[in-house]
Amino acid sequence: MRRAAQCAWVAACAALLSACATVREREPASVAEALSSHVELLSSNRFAGRAAGTPGEGLTLDYLQAQWKAIGLKSGTHDSASPWRAPFRVTGANGEAVTTYNLIGRIEGTDPQAGAVLLLAHWDHLGAHNAKCGRRFIDTICNGAVDNATGLAMITEIARNLRAGPRMKRDVYILATGAEEDGLLGARAFAEDPPVPLGKFVAAFNIDSEGLAPADAPAVVIGEKGGPLAELVQSVADEEAIVLVDPDAVNAMFLRRQDGYALMRAGLPAVMVSASFADAPRLARFMDGNYHRPGDEFETVELGAAVDMVRLHTALVRAAADPSRFPGPLRSDGRPVATESATTP
């Protein structure tokens, strides 16, 4: 009995210490394990490539919604008739109209009137038997592990970190966009019909294909150049010991091919901070090999830098949600301030 009581006391103390641990004190291995679990499931054959209008779409949205609710997020649609999922229309593979969805969650701030921050990643991929992917292969499922199950895993774990820490002043919206592969359509739909006026968003952070680089790799910022958001990213990267390198010609090409660009076009300050896109040789091998091919599977994913980017983005979102640190480029009339692209000619 005495030994049992001692064991119970030790277990209770361990639980208390764990509960009191800060986000920065979480062991990287736990983040890596969480990311790995998400990516393995979302890129499995069961999800069949996560194409709009397929059973894989429903599985993906159901999984993410359940994860986000368990973390403590609230629906971010502000629509009781369509909580969590904001519908929009796309053209299907056979020319038919298909209804698909953006998934929107929210971490409520203490002062929503101070603005909002957006964290996003696209949930869709090319599915199975798609003319764009897989027709020449025995394996016809384009699983989209790097592109973009990694991004979905990361925004989920960043949201978990943010919820585990002190409450922020600004609302933080977590957005999983649909139809990115069809031309950034989900991001465009969000910009055209946001859950709150677009001018309330002081910053947006997009995550895409963050599954290539090893731990401690440098990162690159694709998006705003020289403005308040770029300065914030540099400041937080310095604090988190993340080295930032200058964007190159390849980054310039990809600027227009990621969801942040659709938001920038609408006037919302947006950046994509990426370790994958800072490593030109690794990125080239992926683009020439598994990109939009059946080979983009879980076994090929490198999550070392993804763990670092979770830590960086947790700090970035928290900094952007603090009006005393980041007043944000809001005009007095609530309209967003246009930003200058770092790589737009």
Side-chain angles (χ1 to χ4, degrees):
M1 286 293 292
R2 184 177 180 183
R3 181 170 180 79
Q6 288 176 334
C7 291
W9 182 81
V10 170
C13 288
L16 180 61
L17 288 172
S18 176
C20 293
T22 65
V23 171
R24 289 182 62 86
E25 291 171 338
R26 289 180 65 187
E27 289 297 322
S30 68
V31 178
E33 289 166 2
L35 293 178
S36 180
S37 177
H38 294 313
V39 174
E40 184 174 18
L41 180 62
L42 289 164
S43 63
S44 67
N45 284 350
R46 179 187 170 201
F47 283 63
R50 305 187 308 276
T54 69
E57 173 186 42
L59 289 172
T60 302
L61 296 178
D62 287 348
Y63 176 76
L64 292 174
Q65 182 175 325
Q67 289 289 317
W68 294 3
K69 288 179 71 174
I71 289 168
L73 272 62
K74 298 181 178 180
S75 168
T77 64
H78 301 286
D79 182 357
S80 58
S82 185
W84 294 96
R85 305 182 189 190
F88 62 99
R89 304 279 276 180
V90 298
T91 301
N94 299 317
E96 75 281 16
V98 174
T99 298
T100 189
Y101 301 88
N102 287 333
L103 186 71
I104 310 174
R106 177 172 61 101
I107 301 172
E108 189 174 22
T110 60
D111 184 12
Q113 296 304 313
V117 180
L118 180 65
L119 176 69
L120 69 151
H122 73 89
W123 63 257
D124 65 306
H125 199 56
L126 300 178
H129 305 286
N130 188 321
K132 297 178 181 178
C133 178
R135 177 169 288 182
R136 295 178 290 112
F137 300 89
I138 295 174
D139 181 359
T140 60
I141 297 176
C142 285
N143 302 80
V146 170
D147 180 19
N148 188 32
T150 54
L152 298 175
M154 289 173 65
I155 64 173
T156 299
E157 290 310 301
I158 294 163
R160 188 188 309 278
N161 286 350
L162 294 170
R163 278 282 297 149
R167 283 191 70 185
M168 297 164 285
K169 281 202 170 183
R170 289 177 170 137
D171 281 353
V172 174
Y173 285 79
I174 313 297
L175 169 65
T177 60
E180 186 270 355
E181 302 288 4
D182 296 313
L184 318 182
L185 299 185
R188 288 168 53 185
F190 181 89
E192 291 167 3
D193 186 21
V196 294
L198 203 64
K200 288 182 66 69
F201 288 96
V202 299
F205 301 96
N206 184 37
I207 300 179
D208 198 342
S209 301
E210 199 57 65
L212 301 177
D216 302 318
V220 67
V221 182
I222 301 175
E224 180 182 337
K225 177 182 178 182
L229 182 54
E231 294 171 1
L232 181 73
V233 172
Q234 182 65 68
S235 175
V236 174
D238 290 343
E239 294 167 2
E240 297 296 325
I242 301 293
V243 175
L244 298 181
V245 298
D246 293 332
D248 60 17
V250 175
N251 300 146
M253 178 180 68
F254 276 97
L255 170 69
R256 293 172 175 80
R257 295 173 58 179
Q258 50 86 33
D259 276 334
Y261 183 67
L263 301 175
M264 292 175 67
R265 289 288 301 271
L268 199 165
V271 292
M272 186 171 82
V273 187
S274 169
S276 288
F277 282 79
D279 191 326
R282 288 179 186 272
L283 182 63
R285 287 195 294 272
F286 175 69
M287 298 305 299
D288 294 338
N290 290 333
Y291 175 69
H292 284 190
R293 293 289 182 269
D296 184 9
E297 298 192 273
F298 170 70
E299 291 74 17
T300 70
V301 174
E302 166 59 72
L303 291 172
V307 174
D308 296 336
M309 292 299 101
V310 167
R311 172 169 54 87
L312 175 63
H313 281 83
T314 299
L316 277 173
V317 172
R318 187 165 288 282
D322 181 356
S324 66
R325 177 162 187 182
F326 186 63
L330 290 175
R331 292 177 175 155
S332 59
D333 60 3
R335 295 171 56 204
V337 176
T339 59
E340 178 188 4
S341 162
T343 45
T344 301

